[in-house]
Amino acid sequence: MAGESGSREQWGSRAGFILAAIGSAVGLGNMWRFSYLTNEGGGAAFLVLYLLLVAAVGVPVMLAELVIGRGSGRSPIGALAHYGGDRWRPLGALFLASGFLILSYYSVIAGWTLRYAVSALGGFSADSGAYFEQVATGPASVAWHLLFMTLTVGIVVGGVNRGIERVSIVLMPLLFVIICGIAVYAATLPGAGSGYAFYLDIHLEKVFDWQVLNHAAGQAFFSLSLGMGAMLTYASYLSEDENLPNESVIIAAADFAVAFVAGLAVFPLLFALGLQHEVGASSLGALFITLPTAFHEMGGAGRVVGLLFFVALAVGALTSAISLLEVVVSTAIDQLGWSRSRAAIVLGAACALLGIPSALDLGVLGFMDQLAGTLFLVFGGLMLSIFVGWVMPDPVAEARQGAEGVPWFFAWRWLLRSVVPVLLLVVLWQSLRALFG
Ligand code: PHE
C-alpha cells in the first residue's frame, strides 16, 4: 500500500528516482573524505574492507530504508510509527535532527566549493593556504553558505518531480562526465603511475586497526546517505513496482564508482606536481589547499581542470543537500500540514542560521561532522537494522514487491538481525570512546 494520502508526490520515472538517490549519495563525502581515508587506511586493503562493509552493511541498511519508505509512503516519523507504533517516533525525530545538523555544516563546505569554482575563472591563488583562510572564516564563509542554502531551498520548493528530479537528471550525468574526464586527463600526466601507487598501495597492517574500521563504517553511512532517513524519504515517493533490491545495489555501486574514480583523478594530479607530501595534514586541507596549489602550478590547464573539479564538487554537494533538506520538509508537510514552500523556506532558513557557527569556526564544523555526520548516522543505522530485522512484521514480503526472483532476501533479513547490529554496536562503542575518551 502506498500510504493513505492519494495526493502524495511521485517520481516521474524510475531513472529519475535512481539519479536523485545517487545524487543524494554522491557528494562531498565521495571527493572530500574517500580518497583521503583510502590513502590513510591502507590503500587497496582499505578499499577491500570498505567494499565488504558496503556489501554487508550498507546495501542491507539501504534496502531497509527503501522498503520502509515505499511501503509506508510517509516521511520518517510517520513511516516508523506505521510499522512499529508510536514508540518508534523518537527514532524518526533523531533522523530529522541528524539531517538538520548535517545540512547546517555541509552547506558551509559546499559554499566554499562554489566560491572556489567561481574564483577558478580568474585563476587559482599562488598561496592556497592563505586563500583558504580567507574563504573558510569570517563573513565571506557565512555569505557563501547562505547562498548555497538559498539554492538548495529553491530546488526543494520546486517539489519532488519538478525540482529534485529535474535537477538530478541534468546534473548527475554532468558530474560523472566531469570526474571521468579529469581522471582520463590525469592519467596522461607524467607522475600518474606513482600517484596510483600512493593511492592504492596495500598496507595490510593498517587495516587491522579499530580506528580504520570506524572510519570505513562511518564513511559508508555518510557516503550512502544512510541512517537519517534520506533514502527512506526518497523511496516514499515511489510506486509499488520498483525492484528495490536491485536499486539499492545500483545506488551503492554508483556511489563507490564515483568515489574511486575521484581518487584516480586526484592522486596523479598531486604527484605530477610533486605535492604528495602535503596531503597528510587533513582531508579538508588536501581538498582546498593542496589541490588548488596543483591547479595553480598547472597554469592554463589548471584553471580549466580546477574549474571543472570544483563545479563537480558543488554539483555533488547540491544534489546531496536537497536530500537532506527534503527529509525535514517532507515531515513538515506530512505531520504539520505545511505547504511545501513554507516548509522549505522556514526550515531552510533555520538550518542556515544553525550553520553560522560552523561557517565561522572550523572546530565547530569538525565537531558537528563527528557527532551528526558519523555517530548519529551509525546509531540510526543500528536502530534501523533492529527495526527491520526484529520489529517490522514482514519486511521480506514488502521488499519482494516488484522484485520476484532476486535470490538474496533471506540473507538480507539475516544480516539485519545479526551481523549488521553487532558490527555497528562495536563501531559505535569505539567511536564514542574516540570522541569522548
Ligand atoms: N552522501 C552525501 C555525501 O557523500 C552526504 C549525505 C549524508 C547526504 C547523509 C544525505 C544524507 O556527500
Side-chain angles (χ1 to χ4, degrees), residues 161-184:
N161 193 231
R162 284 186 311 145
I164 301 174
E165 180 168 357
R166 217 163 40 179
V167 165
S168 309
I169 287 180
V170 176
L171 291 184
M172 290 320 291
L174 176 74
L175 184 148
F176 291 131
V177 171
I178 295 181
I179 292 295
C180 293
I182 299 180
V184 169

Side-chain angles (χ1 to χ4, degrees), residues 274 306 351:
C351 195

Side-chain angles (χ1 to χ4, degrees), residues 24-30 102 106 222-225 228 230 320 323-324:
S24 170
V26 171
L28 296 173
N30 299 60
I102 295 177
Y106 196 83
F222 186 83
S223 189
L224 293 169
S225 304
M228 48 72 63
S320 297
S323 75
L324 285 160

Side-chain angles (χ1 to χ4, degrees), residues 260-286:
F260 182 67
V261 175
L264 293 180
V266 166
F267 285 101
L269 282 176
L270 297 179
F271 264 74
L273 295 146
L275 292 169
Q276 60 272 28
H277 304 298
E278 328 234 333
V279 181
S282 76
S283 59
L284 281 179

Side-chain angles (χ1 to χ4, degrees), residues 115 129-138 140-141:
R115 169 135 184 220
Y131 184 68
F132 179 61
E133 295 250 305
Q134 246 182 59
V135 170
T137 49
S141 175

